[in-house]
Amino acid sequence: MLALLAVPVVGAVATTVIVTTTAGAEQTDTDGLIQAETWSAQNGARTENTGDTGGGKNVGWLANGDWMRYDNVDLGGTGSLTAGVRVAAASRAGGTVELRAGTQTGELLASYPVNYTGGWQTWTTKTVVSPTALTGKQTVFLVLKSDQGGDFINVNWLQFKRTPTATVPGSPTGGTTTTKPPTSAPPTSAPPAPQTGWPTVDAAKQAADTAAFFARKPKPVTNNPVKVPEFNAQCTVSHHNNDDPIVFPGLAGAAHNHTFFGNKTTDAASTTQSLLAGNTTCNPTGDHSAYWVPTLYQNGKVVDPKGAVTVYYGSRLKDPSRTQPFPLGLRMIAGDAKTQTDTPDKQGNHFWCAGIGGSTGRTPDGEYPVCAPTAELVRQITFPDCWDGVHLDSPNHKDHMANGDYTGACPKSHPVPIPSVSFVIAYPLNTNTTGITLSSGNGYSMHADFFNAWEPEELARRVRDCLDQGYKCNSAGNF
């Protein structure tokens, strides 16, 4: 069944929305089709199986302010651009789906009003002819808006398709309608794309720094310390925002919400120099590094880590004696925001309970542990400790790093042993762990970012004295 609705699109001319009720129908036109669950980043989204034939998975539990980001979406070249979404809603509150370019508040590509469709699996396809002049590959945000606070919509897929003219099925003449140009010219380009590539160190300086480091005489070991190569920083939460200077440098608001600890100035515009000049919440104060994780919510309310987050610096290699400081400005990510399922062995990527009594069970969905009253919810994220020796970053923020191989040494592709960074985060939750979500999705999407801005002398002293000699030091770098 087809219905034609005249719907005004914000910032553009009035546009005809073609609504096709397709419950139980299989999608056969896959040109430019993007499955909703293949996001690059998101806030508030969860996946589930779609009830009809050919539906695959859909994204649900979407409420006002939630969004999904899709990278490298090809909007094509010439001709009119038709933008579509397949949605379902059991809520009668209604709302709006917006497709925007570049950022959550970027150029409006399309806007769709959404009301009750008959159920969470009763699907409706909506399309509009977009007024945009953008072409080629763009970053696209799907943004949800509603006057109510609860979930109001499910999304199955979105689609962008170029045609010379916009064909309107079911029109009185059965013919075609020529697309009218917008009354005012929109921007011809989206905000700048995130920086990618392989930034390199200054090879001569790095070689000189490495030689000077290993020429450094370690401090004599005193006080009979524990034989573990380790020191730490204690860092409290500094702020929250939707920035990510590693994944989206220069693009304010382009990420899901993050909880930052350490450097107080961290935002989308952060650089190595700005971080070095910024104040920190860490002990020691010589650590100006930026650390961040997705924000944790319980029933929509932010839950910050309890007290200080402990950032451990250690080595998991068989021989830690050749460990050297990472270069100033090194960036890396551990974990993956796109991961929304458990590991096959059901053992990794988990929250756990620390303290007397430990875990007493699991939440109804099995995702989080329920802790004893004397324990608390904890998550640990560990970064690799082998570096390729050349690059400060890589396009996926991981390929310049590696873990030690089966022999307990760094692989030939990443031969330089550096400190292994590990966040241990305790949350003030124990017996009630229902209603927990992360800004990146469910608990399996937990990940962490590190942007090194240690004062070089402070870091070098700790690595040489503590890690290279294989002994445990405190935050001050003392035995």
Side-chain angles (χ1 to χ4, degrees):
M1 179 179 69
L2 299 178
L4 301 182
L5 303 176
V7 179
V9 177
V10 178
V13 294
T15 307
T16 299
V17 178
I18 306 169
V19 182
T20 311
T21 302
T22 58
E26 184 172 357
Q27 172 69 14
T28 57
D29 178 11
T30 59
D31 184 22
L33 197 73
I34 302 163
Q35 296 295 336
E37 71 274 12
T38 61
W39 60 66
S40 300
Q42 56 82 26
N43 178 71
R46 295 167 59 184
T47 60
E48 62 179 352
N49 291 327
T50 303
D52 64 343
T53 303
K57 290 186 177 294
N58 66 264
V59 178
W61 293 274
L62 295 168
N64 180 52
D66 291 343
W67 54 265
M68 294 171 283
R69 191 193 84 229
Y70 302 89
D71 294 341
N72 297 315
V73 175
D74 192 354
L75 300 186
T78 59
S80 63
L81 178 66
T82 300
V85 292
R86 190 181 196 229
V87 297
S91 169
R92 297 183 184 273
T96 304
V97 177
E98 294 181 348
L99 299 179
R100 291 185 175 272
T103 69
Q104 296 168 53
T105 57
E107 181 189 337
L108 187 67
L109 302 176
S111 179
Y112 314 87
V114 177
N115 293 299
Y116 177 72
T117 67
W120 293 119
Q121 293 296 316
T122 304
W123 294 96
T124 295
T125 298
K126 298 192 173 190
T127 63
V128 302
V129 176
S130 174
T132 186
L134 294 176
T135 59
K137 292 185 177 181
Q138 305 288 340
T139 295
V140 172
F141 278 80
L142 188 152
V143 181
L144 291 310
K145 294 185 177 180
S146 178
D147 290 336
Q148 69 145 11
D151 305 334
F152 79 97
I153 190 174
N154 287 358
V155 179
N156 193 190
W157 45 254
L158 55 154
Q159 186 176 36
F160 293 95
K161 189 173 181 180
R162 289 278 179 181
T163 54
T165 58
T167 301
V168 184
S171 64
T173 62
T176 60
T177 302
T178 302
T179 304
K180 294 181 179 180
T183 55
S184 60
T188 58
S189 62
Q195 296 176 15
T196 58
W198 298 84
T200 59
V201 295
D202 181 323
K205 182 178 185 304
Q206 181 64 30
D209 288 346
T210 299
F213 172 77
F214 285 113
R216 184 186 189 110
K217 186 177 180 179
K219 179 173 65 175
V221 177
T222 59
N223 300 325
N224 193 28
V226 175
K227 187 66 175 173
V228 174
E230 179 188 291
F231 62 93
N232 69 74
Q234 300 288 326
C235 309
T236 57
V237 171
S238 56
H239 59 291
H240 305 82
N241 63 37
N242 284 53
D243 291 1
D244 189 325
I246 293 179
V247 178
F248 294 111
L251 293 179
H256 51 249
N257 195 259
H258 287 116
T259 297
F260 292 87
F261 43 100
N263 201 291
K264 295 180 180 180
T265 68
T266 311
D267 61 17
S270 290
T271 63
T272 305
Q273 286 67 38
S274 73
L275 293 174
L276 275 174
N279 291 327
T280 181
T281 67
C282 291
N283 173 23
T285 58
D287 180 11
H288 302 262
S289 300
Y291 310 99
W292 62 97
V293 295
T295 297
L296 185 141
Y297 301 91
Q298 185 174 42
N299 299 319
K301 183 179 179 181
V302 172
V303 179
D304 275 337
K306 179 182 178 181
V309 174
T310 301
V311 182
Y312 288 103
Y313 290 84
S315 175
R316 292 167 291 126
L317 301 177
K318 187 175 181 180
D319 176 13
S321 65
R322 299 304 294 172
T323 302
Q324 66 185 67
F326 12 66
L328 193 59
L330 182 76
R331 286 94 77 186
M332 55 181 167
I333 296 176
D336 190 343
K338 296 180 182 178
T339 300
Q340 302 289 328
T341 56
D342 200 356
T343 54
D345 61 5
K346 307 295 182 182
Q347 297 298 313
N349 203 24
H350 285 180
F351 284 78
W352 48 286
C353 298
I356 298 172
S359 171
T360 61
R362 311 262 335 152
T363 54
D365 59 9
E367 193 175 325
Y368 290 91
V370 177
C371 305
T374 50
E376 57 193 2
L377 189 70
V378 171
R379 188 68 166 83
Q380 182 169 6
I381 309 114
T382 302
F383 293 78
D385 50 4
C386 297
W387 173 47
D388 70 4
V390 178
H391 301 100
L392 294 171
D393 201 355
S394 51
N396 66 357
H397 318 293
K398 294 182 178 183
D399 286 349
H400 59 308
M401 306 299 301
N403 290 303
D405 62 21
Y406 69 96
T407 68
C410 284
K412 292 181 179 179
S413 60
H414 296 76
V416 181
I418 59 172
S420 172
V421 183
S422 181
F423 300 172
V424 177
I425 308 171
Y427 293 92
L429 299 171
N430 43 47
T431 59
N432 180 14
T433 51
T434 59
I436 294 177
T437 59
L438 293 171
S439 59
S440 54
N442 62 30
Y444 308 123
S445 70
M446 188 61 159
H447 57 285
D449 298 61
F450 168 65
F451 194 141
N452 175 40
W454 273 86
E455 294 175 12
E457 168 60 25
E458 290 297 306
L459 179 62
R461 177 171 66 84
R462 288 166 170 81
V463 174
R464 193 65 171 142
D465 293 349
C466 310
L467 302 192
D468 286 2
Q469 297 191 99
Y471 288 101
K472 185 180 181 71
C473 294
N474 57 22
S475 298
N478 297 323
F479 301 118

